[in-house]
Amino acid sequence: MSERTLAGVDGEPVATYRAIDKGPTPFAVFLHTEPDVAPEDLAAAAVVTLAGWKMATRDEALVAALVGSGARIARRSTHMERRFPGSWPQALVPAGMRVSPLSADPAQLLPASLAAFPFGHDDRADDSSDDDEARELAELLAGEITGPLLPEASWAVLDARDRTVGGVIVTRQNDGLPGDGTWIAWILAHPELAPPGTGSALLAATLTALSTAGEPHVGLSVTVGNPAQRLYERFGFEPLARNFTLVLPSAH
């Protein structure tokens, strides 16, 4: 993901961003607005230069300006953070399961990922194929989306047949945004194969590893309305900000 510059109607820079592939639609992320640029000016540049793209931002004034320019809000999420030191619920690994370090091989996690995020899921783009999901997972594990993988804090839950029924990907994010540092980029449980308690076991293992390593905090993002937010709150995560994903209008 190389950094790109977004120019305004006068040709002057109004923001920088990074582009990633999340399905067939390009996605602008890690948006940094230049000083003294009004949300309306940034929105005007975005809907022309990035017509048809998706964009992620925490700037609610920019969201309002983009919506006023024809953009559609596709996802609302909450940025949450857990600070260390502290305590969290003791979570036993479900019977017949074991927690193991997560492999950087996307094949280990892909079947559970596709089951957890099927077509129509709030956390999956409407136009994302299984191949798109596989490519994004590979890029995430390779450190190309939210920073390098932290293998000491990333785990898989395996059943007696060595099938991965749950997993958590923890990365190191450093893009000058609030919440930079350790980041839970992905946490999931197979909807059919994972027993109750899988998510708790993954969180407990991750928090223990990060706390032991002396990390000051860890963040994550959860879709508004996702019941998983209650699990995160039980483990001491607190909401910090709202995130928005928007679909910019297509060029006419």
Side-chain angles (χ1 to χ4, degrees):
M1 282 195 305
S2 59
E3 191 166 78
R4 304 184 184 185
T5 299
L6 179 63
V9 294
D10 59 359
E12 293 297 316
V14 295
T16 60
Y17 66 96
R18 296 187 183 186
I20 61 174
D21 292 326
K22 289 177 70 68
T25 304
F27 200 154
V29 297
F30 300 127
L31 188 72
H32 292 260
T33 306
E34 295 293 334
D36 302 321
V37 172
E40 294 75 15
D41 293 337
L42 176 50
V47 297
V48 172
T49 305
L50 305 179
W53 282 47
K54 294 178 182 178
M55 176 179 285
T57 182
R58 297 174 182 171
D59 185 338
E60 297 200 23
L62 175 58
V63 171
L66 287 168
V67 170
S69 298
R72 171 177 60 86
I73 297 176
R75 180 182 182 236
R76 294 176 173 86
S77 61
T78 301
H79 170 74
M80 305 185 75
E81 188 173 276
R82 174 63 163 88
R83 301 199 69 82
F84 301 111
S87 61
W88 46 86
Q90 296 297 312
L92 299 177
V93 180
M97 305 287 155
R98 71 184 190 279
V99 175
S100 175
L102 181 71
S103 167
D105 180 0
Q108 180 189 18
L109 193 54
L110 182 59
S113 176
L114 293 177
F117 303 120
F119 290 108
H121 193 283
D122 288 343
D123 290 335
R124 177 167 175 169
D126 295 338
D127 55 0
S128 180
S129 68
D130 285 356
D131 287 343
D132 293 327
E133 293 292 299
R135 183 176 65 252
E136 181 183 347
L137 178 58
E139 292 173 351
L140 181 62
L141 289 168
E144 298 173 4
I145 297 180
T146 60
L149 178 72
L150 294 185
E152 66 274 17
S154 301
W155 308 97
V157 174
L158 308 178
D159 65 10
R161 296 170 57 185
D162 284 337
R163 294 177 298 185
T164 298
V165 301
V168 57
I169 299 172
V170 183
T171 63
R172 175 81 67 193
Q173 185 166 283
N174 184 19
D175 288 279
L177 294 173
D180 272 0
T182 51
W183 183 256
I184 296 178
W186 211 323
I187 181 169
L188 60 86
H190 194 293
E192 298 173 358
L193 301 179
T198 298
S200 295
L202 289 167
L203 273 179
T206 293
L207 296 183
T208 298
L210 293 175
S211 178
T212 300
E215 296 288 345
H217 56 76
V218 60
L220 57 79
S221 180
V222 58
T223 300
V224 171
N226 188 333
Q229 182 166 341
R230 295 194 293 271
L231 171 65
Y232 304 142
E233 290 170 348
R234 284 202 300 110
F235 277 78
F237 285 84
E238 298 181 351
L240 291 185
R242 298 180 69 190
N243 304 313
F244 299 85
T245 298
L246 301 100
V247 179
L248 305 185
S250 299
H252 297 294

